[in-house]
Amino acid sequence: MDSAEILRKRKYRHSLVRDFDSDRVLSAFLLGDDRPTLIFICQNNSDSSGTLPDLRDLERIVGMSLTVRDARKVEDGLAVVQQGQVQRVVLDESAFDREKIYLRSPDNTSALEISGEDFKALLEDLGFETESETARLRIYDFGYAAVRQSAQNRVVSGIQPSGDMTLGNYLGAVVNWQKQVENYDENFFFLADLHSLTTLPDPADLRDRIFKTVATLVACGLDLDKATLFRQSDLGGYHTELAWIFSCLTPEGRLEQMTQFKEKARKQEFVGSGLKTYPILMAADIAIYQATLVPVGEDQRQHLELAREIIRRFNGRYGYTMPVPKADMPQVLARVMSLTDGTSKMSKSNPNRDSCIYLLDNPDDIKRKIKRAKTDSNRDLFFDENRPEISNLLGIYQVLSGLAQAEVVEQFKGQGAAKLKAQLTEAVIEALRPIREQYDRLSADRDRVLEILSQGKARVEPIAQQTLAAVKQRVGL
Ligand code: AQP
């Protein structure tokens, strides 16, 4: 792919020019590659062209400057802070006000002309992270942007094999995963088996659950042509090494603040330090694959915020190395609550099996659990935070039926909880039927499940390898 193709594909207006003053215009090289790389040329940096071949080679990109020493000397909208190779570029926002910016061909004989406005959009589109240190200065770290395999969104999310998957996991996470698979090219989902050790499960149980969780995920209908499924411990070295590096950047006090830690620690007899450092491993799970988007349920919001903080801190200290990912939460019902207590979330590790609907529950179980679900005596049904149980059942019905909130309220006006429960039972049975049927087929084919995991590992390992190599180089290892 050459520069013109990159611009064409991304729908930026441009034209080819042969006559331009390469010494006077603000210009850059856009390297044609499957990893678009943009390199600025600055007037007083006439050697940059000589470094181009080297910039394609990650191993040779070294020595990031931590501070922008020349920020005050930004001339003509552009300065390159150089240490070894061309690395950090400081761009005054005024550069984008220019009518034209030129992307030169490496031999300097022609250029692609693009507007300043489109150019700004292109930088973001290509995934070059920006930081604003002052209102006017933008900083681009181009060297490491080159390690990104793709300028597309990369979706990464995980699930622990800590119990049978629940309707909460399904509506809070998996349904969103399926949506992302339709929208994005790169979707990595993993089985967070290292995380599940925080509750010290019985080894034989854990082995069983790992298999069962993968088979359930596939049975949910994840399109494996578009999604990659793998197991965290198959790439454990990358995840844990990065987690260690991240842990050195994470203030201890932040971990203490995590609600999930406090809740789980209260319930566990033995609290290992892994339970506390869990969010650091989660940050590494995400960053090691250069994720840009993380679909999770509401219960993971706080952890994801911490992951973003850690990644930001790493990038800030050592130079841009990985994107700061965004959370993607369901718009409706981001937190499915327990059937027996509307104030705590439906959780697969809850020993009270009546508190959850499991994805593999049979119709009789579903009927019984919903019938017994806690409600109140008010026959008027409406969403109300003071009525968490009713709101939860209405919410589940809303998501499964695809109706708007007002339509659901209208449907059950004055009908009482029994009517809602009957309709909800039907909706849940219907939603879960195909999953259960597909699971039964898959569970007989153990080899297929193992094959899915080994293909997943092969797909993601080069990315983990590359990120870890970059991280180690950055921190001085
Ligand atoms: N009740 C829930 N409502 C909405 N989303 C939920 N998720 C979990 N429970 C709910 C989402 O499911 C994904 C996978 O979760 P996890 O396995 O990583 O761990 P978790 O969040 O701690 O889920 P559980 O089921 O409660 O597991 P245990 O009992 O082991 O702690 C996540 O995206 C989560 O948001």
Side-chain angles (χ1 to χ4, degrees), residues 311-348:
I311 294 170
R312 248 190 250 119
R313 188 166 301 124
F314 184 97
N315 285 345
R317 185 175 178 94
Y318 298 108
Y320 177 72
T321 311
M322 45 232 159
V324 180
K326 292 196 182 94
D328 183 57
M329 280 176 211
Q331 303 291 316
V332 181
L333 201 69
R335 184 186 286 251
V336 180
M337 307 311 277
S338 149
L339 295 183
T340 50
D341 169 13
T343 60
S344 57
K345 73 162 188 160
M346 187 179 281
S347 195
K348 58 176 132 48

Side-chain angles (χ1 to χ4, degrees), residues 158-161 190-197 230-233 285:
I159 183 162
Q160 298 183 65
F190 65 94
L191 204 74
D193 51 358
L194 292 175
H195 280 281
S196 66
L197 293 180
F230 63 97
R231 181 176 157 172
Q232 187 186 27
S233 64
D285 298 334

Side-chain angles (χ1 to χ4, degrees), residues 31 44 101 115 118 256 268 270 277 314 340 367 381 438 449:
L31 292 184
N44 56 9
I101 285 174
S115 74
D118 277 356
E256 306 259 358
Q268 285 183 209
F270 173 80
T277 54
F314 184 97
T340 50
K367 205 181 264 177
L381 303 183
Q438 180 61 7
V449 173

Side-chain angles (χ1 to χ4, degrees), residues 416-462:
K419 180 80 181 173
L420 168 62
K421 285 181 170 182
Q423 298 269 302
L424 180 62
T425 302
E426 250 176 63
V428 173
I429 290 175
E430 276 323 299
L432 301 190
R433 188 190 307 281
I435 299 177
R436 212 175 33 251
E437 287 171 0
Q438 180 61 7
Y439 177 83
D440 288 344
R441 279 193 286 274
L442 258 172
S443 60
D445 193 356
R446 211 177 169 86
D447 286 350
R448 172 70 190 125
V449 173
L450 297 178
E451 186 192 31
I452 290 170
L453 292 181
S454 101
Q455 285 169 345
K457 177 183 181 212
R459 165 76 182 93
V460 301
E461 187 161 18

Side-chain angles (χ1 to χ4, degrees), residues 333-346 355 373-378 380-398 405 417 420-421 424:
L333 201 69
R335 184 186 286 251
V336 180
M337 307 311 277
S338 149
L339 295 183
T340 50
D341 169 13
T343 60
S344 57
K345 73 162 188 160
M346 187 179 281
S355 67
K374 192 173 168 195
T375 49
D376 56 46
S377 54
N378 185 347
D380 243 359
L381 303 183
F382 49 87
F383 291 88
D384 179 353
E385 59 183 37
N386 297 316
R387 299 175 72 194
E389 285 87 11
I390 285 292
S391 300
N392 188 40
L393 298 184
L394 285 170
I396 299 174
Y397 184 77
Q398 184 191 340
Q405 199 177 86
L420 168 62
K421 285 181 170 182
L424 180 62

